[in-house]
Amino acid sequence: MIFKASYLKLNKEGRLRDIAENLYNIYESCVLCPRKCRVNRNKGEKGVCRAGASVKISSVHPHFGEEKPLVGRNGSGTIFLTNCNLLCVYCQNWDISHIGEGKEISDEDLAYEMIRLQKLNCHNINFVSPTHYLPNIVRALIYAIELGLTIPLVYNTGGYERVEIIKMIEGIFDIYLPDFKYWEGRMSSLYSCGAEDYPERAKKAIKEMHRQVGVLKLDERHIAQRGLMIRHLVLPNDLAGTKEFVEFVFDELDPGTYVNIMSQYHPSYKANSFPELSRKPTTSEYTKAILAARDHGLFNLD
Ligand code: SF4
């Protein structure tokens, strides 16, 4: 059966335009994410993420380093958006997320970039850090559909989301790819620019994403069509709270949820200012994290 991206139905029903308009209205007093800065981005005011009202991108290309179900043979069509609403002290892409290095483009040009990736046979359009540019993305999607876009969209987020906004975009993204970074607000406050409510916000948002798209479904080529994929970066000294996170997935989502327990943490940007973050996790710490996931009954591990 040929898979059809969900947004095609929304567009046919004429609902995509309403969602784009409602999201654009939020720029007048931005509450797109839990920071709720209430700045008027249309007038050039900047909130915590420092993003304006025009979308800014740092790069667009087929990416072969993402999870296998996203990459397939031809790559995940990745669009790296600048700025970020979480601003972690150990960010590996700090030049893009903290400094905002990139170029501003129109929503129409963002649509052309999506079409270019589809023409390169990418399996999906993977928006990295989409939260603060959602209005632009949805408007660009409308143009892209007119130009023939049909491949699924991936919402690749740090997980600091408002559940109300995730509800607003139901039916647009077939694949949600959130991080779950910390179990304790003490850690998110310290390492992610005062975001003490991160664990609660991320849990609520991820539950809503799961409600919308369910566990990951692959096609006959083992390429992701629709579903939730969660990333969990193991931090040294168990700062991420892996055991509690996997319990949450088992108890409140589904044991078959696709979970990528990642080992690649290394101290970047300002991490060395925090002694507990200034080293890679040991092999034993990583193994313990994987075993915790298996012991808690998760069976769809990357
Ligand atoms: S998206 Fe940016 S400006 Fe809007 S509430 Fe979040 S951090 Fe503030």
Side-chain angles (χ1 to χ4, degrees):
M1 197 174 75
I2 295 174
F3 172 76
K4 283 199 175 156
S6 306
Y7 56 74
L8 295 173
K9 184 165 175 269
L10 266 192
N11 190 49
K12 210 170 170 186
E13 293 167 356
R15 289 195 285 146
L16 216 43
R17 264 176 215 287
D18 294 341
I19 297 173
E21 197 175 318
N22 291 339
L23 286 168
Y24 253 102
N25 287 339
I26 296 177
Y27 273 167
E28 300 273 311
S29 173
C30 191
V31 289
L32 277 173
C33 86
R35 303 275 184 194
K36 291 191 179 172
C37 302
R38 299 190 193 278
V39 291
N40 188 337
R41 288 174 56 179
N42 289 331
K43 290 197 171 156
E45 294 170 13
K46 302 273 170 78
V48 174
C49 66
R50 312 297 301 154
S54 297
V55 69
K56 210 170 160 191
I57 57 171
S58 108
S59 63
V60 178
H61 54 84
H63 193 342
F64 293 88
E66 301 285 66
E67 286 78 357
K68 272 192 201 135
L70 296 175
V71 168
R73 260 181 92 109
N74 305 322
S76 177
T78 307
I79 301 181
F80 283 94
L81 301 154
T82 68
N83 302 92
C84 179
N85 69 337
L86 202 49
L87 300 168
C88 307
V89 292
Y90 49 84
C91 182
Q92 291 171 20
N93 300 318
W94 57 271
D95 49 340
I96 304 168
S97 53
H98 286 248
I99 312 293
E101 280 181 11
K103 64 168 181 179
E104 253 180 45
I105 60 168
S106 66
D107 296 348
E108 288 89 337
D109 284 343
L110 182 59
Y112 285 119
E113 295 292 350
M114 293 156 79
I115 291 295
R116 190 167 68 79
L117 291 168
Q118 180 171 276
K119 285 190 175 153
L120 290 170
N121 292 321
C122 290
H123 301 291
N124 44 66
I125 306 291
N126 181 349
F127 288 101
V128 182
S129 301
T131 314
H132 48 286
Y133 288 126
L134 262 174
N136 311 78
I137 291 170
V138 178
R139 189 176 281 172
L141 174 63
I142 297 170
Y143 298 131
I145 294 169
E146 285 167 15
L147 296 169
L149 191 79
T150 57
I151 57 177
L153 305 189
V154 182
Y155 193 84
N156 183 342
T157 167
Y160 195 38
E161 300 287 343
R162 289 186 62 208
V163 72
E164 297 85 348
I165 303 290
I166 299 298
K167 284 183 179 167
M168 274 177 81
I169 58 171
E170 178 167 9
I172 294 179
F173 294 86
D174 277 295
I175 301 159
Y176 282 110
L177 180 63
D179 291 328
F180 189 93
K181 290 178 182 287
Y182 319 95
W183 188 257
E184 283 186 43
R186 198 164 46 93
M187 308 306 173
S188 48
S189 178
L190 201 54
Y191 308 136
S192 293
C193 197
E196 195 177 0
D197 57 348
Y198 175 90
E200 290 316 309
R201 298 286 190 173
K203 277 187 270 179
K204 271 192 191 162
I206 290 174
K207 279 169 78 167
E208 170 61 18
M209 292 170 185
H210 176 72
R211 185 194 69 75
Q212 289 182 18
V213 297
V215 295
L216 186 65
K217 288 176 204 68
L218 308 178
D219 67 10
E220 62 290 347
R221 301 165 299 165
H222 299 285
I223 291 166
Q225 291 194 329
R226 185 173 165 82
L228 173 67
M229 305 170 75
I230 310 178
R231 287 176 171 166
H232 177 74
L233 181 66
V234 177
L235 295 176
N237 302 300
D238 196 24
L239 296 170
T242 303
K243 181 173 158 287
E244 292 81 0
F245 159 67
V246 295
E247 275 169 9
F248 159 75
V249 175
F250 185 87
D251 293 341
E252 307 209 29
L253 303 175
D254 188 294
T257 303
Y258 183 104
V259 175
N260 182 3
I261 306 231
M262 302 193 299
S263 62
Q264 55 264 55
Y265 174 81
H266 61 268
S268 297
Y269 194 45
K270 296 183 177 168
N272 282 324
S273 309
F274 299 83
E276 68 281 19
L277 275 178
S278 61
R279 65 165 174 85
K280 293 179 179 179
T282 61
T283 308
S284 138
E285 283 174 322
Y286 181 65
T287 308
K288 209 171 140 194
I290 293 285
L291 288 177
R294 288 203 191 128
D295 290 349
H296 281 85
L298 304 192
F299 59 84
N300 199 0
L301 301 176
D302 184 70

